[in-house]
């Protein structure tokens, strides 16, 4: 077994887009284990929009990654060595780790990932994992969608948005997606069963929403922020709901953005706007995961992964999230399971 690992360490906080030199790939000794710790060989790193938030020191929901630390990420991997009774070598586990080939985790920060015959680890950990749970809780807990309601979801071909729309269809909503480019829009409608999809890169979002939502919008599952959010919010109905899941269009901004112009409409139309973080629902993950797995097995939820090889490609790959260069749940395959 090797005693060296590779890891990306945060050297400076990005100003705008992530720049060369903000992170450094280092080769260093694997730390030795203390009691209660587990050494994990990383199979997959989950690359997520929030990685850019964690690199910054903006006011956020977790401490930012400290300068000099290994870049934080969700990981799935294989136990190589354990000083905790619950874990034995060879087990597959997931949890918070980092952009690295190996990770020493406190046992309390990881969980076993069950082996499900016929379903890849990339799917269980990736597209049916945290992002599907985000869709599940943001839509069902905050919005309680009713049959016949109109649901709009942005970043609709992405990991969260694609599942939001499909759960919306299961609940009987009319689902309109917003995504970048004809291929993603075709996927959302033809493969996932959304009622329509607006290609925000080639169409005027406002006039397309007017045509597609003549009775207004009951639920806006917000993933993007900025102009797209403004266009949707200004068409929301009285007593509509808006889970604020993410604002990816702003994550690389170096200046604070002004608040939404539609802010007064929250009052006038009595819109429920609620930010949430999926980990708020951690104690209910088990039940929700069972439901998501059942829908997937029944073919009611389809997901895709976008798997890129090589720890050395972490920085170039994560940037794709902010340009739409990914198509599906973005994962870095560090070592094939
Ligand atoms: P995706 O798989 O959706 O990938 C990100 C997508 O965002 C891109 O593919 C791109 O799609 C779209 N995008 C990027 N920049 C812009 C832009 N300027 N304008 C419009 N669309 C843009 O990622 P996730 O599903 O993981 O994340 C989606 C959102 O959900 C993010 O905002 C993220 O922060 C949030 N999130 C929140 C969680 C929570 O607990 N609250 C948990 C997980 C995610 P396209 O090609 O269509 O432009």
């Amino acid at each position: 077994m090797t005693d060296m690992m590779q890891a990306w360490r945060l050297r400076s906080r990005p100003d705008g887009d992530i720049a060369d030199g903000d992170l450094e790939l280092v080769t260093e000794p694997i730390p030795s284990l203390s009691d209660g710790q587990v050494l994990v060989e990383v199979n997959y790193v989950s690359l997520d929009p929030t990685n850019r938030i964690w690199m910054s020191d903006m006011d956020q929901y977790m401490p930012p990654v400290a300068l000099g630390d290994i870049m934080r990420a969700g990981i799935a991997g294989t136990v190589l060595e354990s000083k905790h009774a619950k874990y034995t070598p060879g087990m597959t586990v997931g949890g918070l780790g980092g952009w690295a080939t190996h990770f020493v985790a406190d046992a309390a920060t990881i969980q076993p990932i069950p082996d499900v015959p016929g379903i890849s680890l990339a799917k269980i950990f990736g597209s049916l994992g945290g992002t599907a749970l985000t869709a599940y809780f943001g839509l069902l807990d905050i919005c309680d969608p009713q049959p016949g309601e109109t649901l709009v979801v942005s970043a609709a071909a992405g990991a969260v948005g694609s599942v939001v729309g499909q759960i919306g269809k299961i609940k009987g909503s009319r689902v309109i997606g917003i995504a970048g480019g004809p291929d993603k829009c075709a996927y959302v409608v033809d493969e996932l069963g959304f009622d329509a999809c607006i290609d925000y890169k080639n169409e005027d979002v406002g006039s397309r929403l007017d045509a597609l939502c003549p009775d207004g919008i009951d639920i806006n599952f917000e993933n993007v922020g900025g102009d797209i959010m403004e266009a949707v919010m200004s068409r929301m109905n009285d007593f509509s709901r808006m889970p604020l899941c993410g604002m990816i269009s702003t994550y690389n901004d170096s200046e604070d953005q002004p608040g939404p112009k539609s802010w007064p409409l929250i009052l006038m139309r009595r819109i429920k706007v609620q930010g949430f973080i999926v980990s708020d629902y951690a104690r209910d993950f088990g039940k929700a995961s069972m439901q998501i797995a059942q829908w997937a097995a029944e073919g009611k939820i389809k997901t895709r992964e976008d798997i890129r090889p090589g720890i050395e490609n972490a920085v170039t790959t994560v940037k794709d999230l902010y340009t739409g260069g990914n198509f599906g749940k973005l994962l870095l395959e560090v070592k094939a399971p």
Side-chain angles (χ1 to χ4, degrees):
M1 190 180 87
T2 177
D3 53 4
M4 300 297 282
M5 59 184 259
Q6 285 182 292
W8 285 94
R9 289 190 176 271
L10 185 64
R11 295 300 183 206
S12 54
R13 302 204 182 280
D15 181 14
D17 293 347
I18 301 166
D20 291 346
D22 287 336
L23 294 117
E24 183 190 8
L25 183 61
V26 297
T27 302
E28 57 191 30
I30 296 173
S32 50
L33 293 189
S34 303
D35 284 344
Q37 289 187 322
V38 174
L39 173 61
V40 180
E41 184 171 38
V42 176
N43 298 118
Y44 293 107
V45 169
S46 177
L47 293 175
D48 294 289
T50 200
N51 293 161
R52 176 64 185 78
I53 296 174
W54 293 343
M55 288 176 199
S56 80
D57 57 3
M58 70 184 285
D59 195 349
Q60 53 192 279
Y61 59 93
M62 288 176 83
V65 175
L67 290 179
D69 277 5
I70 294 175
M71 183 58 211
R72 181 196 295 142
I75 57 158
T78 309
V79 174
L80 284 186
E81 205 183 318
S82 172
K83 288 200 173 178
H84 189 280
K86 184 173 163 190
Y87 295 100
T88 51
M91 284 176 77
T92 304
V93 295
L96 265 190
W99 290 9
T101 55
H102 298 76
F103 204 81
V104 172
D106 291 332
T109 67
I110 56 173
Q111 304 83 38
I113 298 181
D115 182 24
V116 183
I119 306 186
S120 67
L121 175 60
K123 199 167 268 300
I124 294 174
F125 165 69
S127 64
L128 294 177
T131 46
L133 289 165
T134 304
Y136 179 96
F137 289 111
L139 186 63
L140 298 183
D141 186 64
I142 298 175
C143 303
D144 188 22
Q146 298 299 309
E149 289 192 316
T150 297
L151 159 65
V152 173
V153 56
S154 48
V160 173
S162 61
V163 177
V164 168
Q166 292 176 88
I167 297 178
K169 289 306 297 177
I170 291 168
K171 296 295 173 185
S173 305
R174 252 191 94 238
V175 179
I176 313 297
I178 303 175
D183 290 350
K184 287 188 178 180
C185 283
Y187 167 71
V188 157
V189 174
D190 300 340
E191 291 196 38
L192 305 186
F194 287 31
D195 295 280
C197 185
I198 301 170
D199 174 359
Y200 78 91
K201 288 186 174 167
N202 295 293
E203 297 180 298
D204 180 71
V205 175
S207 54
R208 291 289 288 138
L209 285 171
D210 286 338
L212 290 165
C213 310
D215 299 324
I217 294 162
D218 302 300
I219 297 172
N220 170 30
F221 195 104
E222 186 57 57
N223 283 323
V224 165
D227 292 343
I228 290 176
M229 180 176 76
E230 294 283 2
V232 180
M233 275 186 85
S234 61
R235 292 164 175 83
M236 291 179 75
N237 289 329
D238 289 353
F239 303 106
S240 53
R241 291 88 78 202
M242 176 170 142
L244 186 48
C245 176
M247 302 181 77
I248 192 168
S249 70
T250 68
Y251 294 170
N252 283 315
D253 290 346
S254 39
E255 306 282 325
D256 286 345
Q257 297 303 308
K261 286 195 288 274
S262 307
W263 183 247
L265 291 178
I266 297 171
L267 168 64
M268 304 309 166
R269 299 196 190 152
R270 288 83 87 204
I271 302 171
K272 172 182 169 185
V273 178
Q274 187 177 325
F276 74 102
I277 298 295
V278 64
S279 51
D280 300 339
Y281 294 94
R283 67 163 187 242
D284 296 325
F285 279 0
K287 203 168 132 213
S289 295
M290 300 264 287
Q291 176 64 85
I292 291 164
Q294 189 185 330
W295 281 331
E298 293 167 355
K300 292 179 178 163
I301 288 185
K302 296 176 189 158
T303 59
R304 59 189 285 165
E305 302 78 45
D306 184 341
I307 303 174
R308 315 286 181 87
I311 189 68
E312 66 280 9
N313 297 319
V315 172
T316 46
T317 305
V318 80
K319 289 182 186 177
D320 276 353
L321 289 166
Y322 313 103
T323 59
N326 66 308
F327 197 165
K329 174 71 198 88
L330 191 59
L331 296 172
L332 198 66
E333 187 172 80
V334 178
K335 184 168 189 224

